[in-house]
C-alpha cells in the first residue's frame, strides 16, 4: 500500500491553525525554558550522573527480590535509593543520590545492611563507585555541549540540503521538541540522567528527519508553483506527505509503547521521553517548522537543486 493511500488525499488548511499552534508552542517552550533554568540552578531531579551520588552493585548467591531489598534499605533509614534488578545473575544495583545522609561512607553502609539483614544469602560486591559534584558538573557541561553541537549540525545539514532559513526553521522546531520534553520531565519530577539525554539526542534526530521529508516536498512545490501563495504551497506539501508521516509516527509509537510498558524500569524513562518526543516531533514538523517559513520567506525563486 502506498503511503498516500493510507488516509487518502487530504486538503487540510494547516497554515490556518498556525497562530494557535504558535501560542500553544510558546507556552510549552516557556515552561521548558523555566525548567532548564531550574535544573541549572540545581532544583531539578538530577540523577547521580549529574547530581553526584553512589552506585553499588551486589551479586547474591541466591535470588533476592527487589522489593525485599528496598524494604531492608527503608528499614535502615535509606528511603530514596533506586534499585535495579538483574534476576539472571542474582544482581541488584543500588543507586543513591548524594542527599542520602549516613554516618559512614554510603557504599559501606549499604553493604553492612545486607550483611546484617540477609546473613543466609551471601554476596560479593560486584562494583562500587561514587560520582562527586565535580564529575557531575563536568557531565552536565558535556551533555549541554552535545545538545548544542547537535543543533549546529542540524542547521548546517539542512542549510546545505535546502536553504539557510530551512535550517534555522528545522533547528527551532527541534529545539522546541527537546525543550518540551525537558519541561514535561521537570513538571512530572522525573529524573534527568544520561539515558534521558541520550533519548533527547535520539529525539532530535527523529524530529529533523521528519521535518526534512516535509521540507523536501515544500521545496519541490516552491520550484514549480512560484506564483501561488506560500501558505498554499506549504499546505499542499504537508498534505502530500501526511499519510507517510502518520504511518511512520504510528509504527514508531507502537515500538515505543511496547518498550514503555514491557521494557522494564531501566529504560522506562528513556522510552517515555521518546514516546512524548515522537508525538511532539510529528506535531512540530507540521505546526512549527513549516509555518516558520511563512514568517521568513526569503528571496523568491532561489532554491537549491
Amino acid at each position: 500500500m502506498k503511503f498516500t493511500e493510507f488516509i487518502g488525499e487530504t486538503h487540510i488548511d494547516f497554515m490556518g491553525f498556525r497562530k494557535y499552534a504558535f501560542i500553544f508552542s510558546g507556552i510549552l517552550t516557556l515552561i521548558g525554558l523555566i525548567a532548564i533554568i531550574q535544573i541549572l540552578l540545581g532544583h531539578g531531579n538530577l540523577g547521580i550522573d549529574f547530581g553526584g551520588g553512589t552506585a553499588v552493585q551486589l551479586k547474591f548467591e541466591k535470588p533476592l527480590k527487589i522489593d525485599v531489598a528496598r524494604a531492608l534499605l527503608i528499614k535502615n533509614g535509606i528511603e530514596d535509593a533506586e534499585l535495579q534488578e538483574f534476576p539472571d545473575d542474582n544482581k541488584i544495583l543500588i543507586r543513591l543520590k548524594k542527599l542520602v545522609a549516613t554516618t559512614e561512607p554510603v557504599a559501606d553502609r549499604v553493604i553492612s545492611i545486607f550483611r546484617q539483614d540477609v546473613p543466609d544469602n551471601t554476596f560479593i560486591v560486584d562494583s562500587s563507585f561514587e560520582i562527586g559534584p565535580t564529575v557531575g558538573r563536568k557531565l552536565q557541561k558535556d551533555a549541554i555541549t552535545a545538545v548544542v553541537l547537535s543543533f549546529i549540525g542540524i542547521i548546517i545539514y539542512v542549510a546545505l540540503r535546502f536553504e539557510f532559513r530551512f535550517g534555522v526553521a528545522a533547528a527551532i522546531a527541534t529545539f522546541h521538541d527537546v525543550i518540551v520534553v525537558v519541561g514535561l520531565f521537570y513538571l512530572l519530577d522525573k529524573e534527568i540522567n544520561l539515558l534521558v539525554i541520550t533519548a533527547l539526542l535520539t529525539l532530535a534526530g527523529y524530529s529533523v528527519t521528519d521535518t526534512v521529508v516535509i521540507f523536501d516536498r515544500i521545496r519541490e512545490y516552491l520550484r514549480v508553483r512560484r506564483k501561488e501563495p506560500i501558505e498554499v504551497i506549504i499546505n499542499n506539501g504537508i498534505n502530500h506527505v501526511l499519510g507517510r508521516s502518520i504511518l511512520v509516527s504510528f509504527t514508531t509509537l507502537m515500538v515505543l509503547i511496547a518498550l514503555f510498558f514491557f521494557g522494564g524500569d531501566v529504560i522506562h524513562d528513556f522510552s517515555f521521553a521518546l514516546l512524548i518526543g515522537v508525538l511532539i516531533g510529528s506535531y512540530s514538523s507540521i505546526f512549527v517548522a513549516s509555518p516558520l517559513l511563512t514568517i521568513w520567506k526569503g528571496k523568491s525563486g532561489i532554491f537549491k537543486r
Side-chain angles (χ1 to χ4, degrees), residues 151-175 207-223 230 233-234 237-238 284-285 288-305:
F151 283 113
I152 294 174
I154 288 170
I155 292 176
I156 293 174
Y157 164 70
V158 181
L160 292 174
R161 182 74 175 82
F162 298 94
E163 290 181 14
F164 181 67
R165 62 178 176 136
F166 281 77
V168 173
I172 291 175
T174 306
F175 175 74
S207 177
V208 76
T209 300
D210 196 46
T211 301
V212 163
V213 171
I214 294 177
F215 277 2
D216 194 50
R217 189 51 49 94
I218 292 174
R219 182 182 61 169
E220 286 184 20
Y221 286 156
L222 282 169
R223 286 173 178 166
I230 189 169
I233 293 174
I234 292 174
I238 297 174
S284 72
S285 298
V288 177
S290 300
L292 285 174
L293 299 177
T294 66
I295 298 175
W296 185 3
K297 299 181 180 179
K299 295 181 180 179
S300 178
I302 300 179
F303 298 102
K304 296 182 179 181
R305 296 178 181 277

Side-chain angles (χ1 to χ4, degrees), residues 11 54 134-135 141 143 154 173 188 207 226 250 286 292:
H11 302 279
T54 302
T134 303
V135 176
K141 292 180 181 177
I154 288 170
L188 296 176
S207 177
R226 298 177 181 178
F250 177 74
I286 296 174
L292 285 174

Side-chain angles (χ1 to χ4, degrees), residues 55 59 64 85 98-99 133 173 182 187 210 226 291-294 298:
K59 179 177 175 57
L64 179 65
E85 187 178 17
K98 63 179 181 180
L99 296 177
V182 173
L187 290 178
D210 196 46
R226 298 177 181 178
L292 285 174
L293 299 177
T294 66

